Amino acid sequence: MSKRKFNGFIGTYTKGDSKGIYSFVFDKEKEQITDIELVAEVKNPTYVTISEDNHYLYAVGADVDQGGLVAYAINQETKKLQELNRQMTEGSSPCYVGVNRTNSKVLAAYYHRGSVELFETNHDGSLKPRKSVVQFAGNGPNKDRQEKPHTHYAQFTPDEKYVVAVDLGIDQIITFEVSSGELKEVSKLTVRPGSGPRHLAFHPNGKIAYCMTELSNEVIVLQYNQEEGTFQELQYISTIPEDFTENSQGAAIRVTKDGRFVYVSNRGHNSIASFKVNEEDSTLSFIEYTSSGGNWPRDFQFDPTEEYVIGSNQESGNLVLYKRDTESGRLTLIDNTIKVPSPVCVAFLHE
């Protein structure tokens, strides 16, 4: 009998009623999200990521005038979090955290600092002081949003040969290798000026990546050279209707495990846009828009079966449950009444 219940965590902004990181249970049989509870008190844990073995959770966080990462052990029975340690430095907190499969290295991307940091872990999953820092420089044509570097993503490539950083402020995707614990730049791709690249998601084949832009509301389809760590643009496709002229900012991007569909969230247009992947060249064709069921859909995530999607609306303070048609890629909204204060990030335990 297939598993019916799945555990997950929600990262939030703590500027309102939120106190930190919340856990939840998704009951697939009943199509319900239940048991939402606070499991860690920390300031602005806006992004969380879970180790491959489900033993550790790493969250971005802040502490008075400092920002950095917080490491937690996940209780395997209760799914509660126990704080292991914090690694903070003076300045703003990061906006993204990535971890490698063996849980030996953790990455932090700092939007306000315009930098990437590499941490190594101890045997108990706790974080050692930061090992390497890369500070970006430059700006872009959008005077309001690109006055300096704004790094929004840092993650290991699927084969973990390289690290990729995405910087919204300088319109660049930068590749690094890790040499003796230090991040060494290998290559960089400058995308269309003013597009504001935000997040990257790799196709399961490891040879294609999809980049969501925040400022131009587009997906950039990229050819990825696994040997050299270089990217090449193949396609730009809009994620919002041509006639939509109000403020909208691209947010999250996800690719299904079968590599057939790509989904993105649009904050402002308040939608999730669905795309079909062309089998020949992995370019995208638009399927549909689905209402985000709230205001400012910051993130969304597939459940482990990928038959459902859970979205988070930051400004309206609600989670949204969708059923996903695995053949057509279309989403059907089931419930948008699940209250969570200022939800930003959704992460499931790995199955």
Side-chain angles (χ1 to χ4, degrees):
M1 186 175 166
S2 62
K3 190 172 176 185
R4 294 297 184 188
K5 291 187 177 181
F6 303 99
N7 295 87
F9 296 92
I10 306 155
T12 69
Y13 269 115
T14 54
K15 56 191 177 188
D17 295 331
S18 172
K19 298 282 191 291
I21 301 169
Y22 292 78
S23 64
F24 69 92
V25 175
F26 170 53
D27 187 323
K28 185 183 167 193
E29 195 165 14
K30 295 181 179 175
E31 295 187 327
Q32 287 179 339
I33 293 169
T34 63
D35 302 303
I36 295 169
E37 62 175 304
L38 180 69
V39 284
E41 289 202 27
V42 58
K43 185 180 177 185
N44 290 340
T46 55
Y47 204 89
V48 302
T49 195
I50 297 166
S51 65
E52 191 79 10
D53 64 4
N54 288 334
H55 283 110
Y56 308 105
L57 179 146
Y58 297 95
V60 308
D63 220 344
V64 194
D65 296 329
Q66 294 190 318
L69 298 182
V70 189
Y72 297 92
I74 302 171
N75 185 301
Q76 299 303 292
E77 298 298 316
T78 65
K79 311 307 182 207
K80 297 278 197 297
L81 299 181
Q82 178 196 348
E83 185 173 323
L84 297 172
N85 73 333
R86 302 182 176 201
Q87 290 294 353
M88 302 275 177
T89 49
E90 196 168 326
S92 60
S93 55
C95 63
Y96 192 95
V97 54
V99 62
N100 68 346
R101 277 191 287 277
T102 59
N103 205 56
S104 61
K105 294 182 176 64
V106 180
L107 296 161
Y110 287 80
Y111 177 86
H112 293 288
R113 299 189 198 182
S115 62
V116 173
E117 294 181 353
L118 175 69
F119 297 81
E120 293 178 344
T121 62
N122 296 301
H123 289 305
D124 66 351
S126 61
L127 293 159
K128 297 178 181 177
R130 61 184 184 182
K131 177 83 175 175
S132 179
V133 183
V134 175
Q135 178 65 55
F136 298 116
N139 52 45
N142 185 321
K143 297 286 186 284
D144 293 329
R145 297 294 311 280
Q146 296 183 309
E147 79 291 357
K148 63 175 187 176
H150 289 300
T151 317
H152 221 307
Y153 169 97
Q155 186 59 280
F156 296 90
T157 56
D159 61 6
E160 300 197 340
K161 186 176 177 182
Y162 297 107
V163 166
V164 180
V166 177
D167 195 292
L168 180 151
I170 54 178
D171 296 315
Q172 285 185 347
I173 299 169
I174 309 102
T175 311
F176 301 89
E177 62 181 0
V178 181
S179 175
S180 305
E182 296 286 326
L183 292 165
K184 307 284 188 190
E185 187 178 308
V186 172
S187 74
K188 66 173 71 162
L189 171 71
T190 301
V191 297
R192 285 182 185 167
S195 59
R198 175 185 169 95
H199 276 191
L200 201 69
F202 277 89
H203 188 280
N205 66 18
K207 299 173 185 174
I208 295 286
Y210 301 96
C211 180
M212 179 65 173
T213 70
E214 179 168 328
L215 303 183
S216 66
N217 300 280
E218 293 171 299
V219 177
I220 311 171
V221 182
L222 301 159
Q223 183 86 43
Y224 175 62
N225 183 317
Q226 294 167 295
E227 289 305 308
E228 297 177 9
T230 56
F231 291 93
Q232 181 183 349
E233 295 147 294
L234 296 180
Q235 180 192 21
Y236 283 74
I237 185 168
S238 180
T239 67
I240 56 173
E242 280 182 29
D243 58 0
F244 187 81
T245 55
E246 295 167 48
N247 173 44
S248 195
Q249 298 172 25
I253 182 163
R254 309 280 179 198
V255 185
T256 54
K257 286 190 195 111
D258 61 13
R260 295 176 58 213
F261 300 99
V262 172
Y263 299 84
V264 303
S265 56
N266 297 305
R267 298 170 295 174
H269 186 248
N270 290 343
S271 65
I272 293 179
S274 310
F275 297 90
K276 185 168 177 45
V277 177
N278 183 317
E279 286 181 25
E280 303 293 310
D281 61 4
S282 299
T283 56
L284 300 181
S285 55
F286 172 74
I287 300 173
E288 66 171 354
Y289 301 109
T290 308
S291 168
S292 70
N295 185 19
W296 217 246
R298 180 71 176 243
D299 193 22
F300 63 92
Q301 188 59 270
F302 307 117
D303 83 306
T305 70
E306 297 202 339
E307 293 169 25
Y308 294 85
V309 171
I310 293 175
S312 62
N313 288 294
Q314 181 184 320
E315 295 305 319
S316 49
N318 64 315
L319 298 186
V320 184
L321 178 63
Y322 302 88
K323 179 91 189 249
R324 190 179 83 87
D325 186 317
T326 55
E327 282 308 306
S328 70
R330 293 178 181 271
L331 303 179
T332 303
L333 198 156
I334 296 174
D335 186 6
N336 69 335
T337 64
I338 309 138
K339 292 296 179 191
V340 175
S342 304
V344 177
C345 174
V346 183
F348 276 96
L349 290 176
H350 305 289
E351 289 296 317

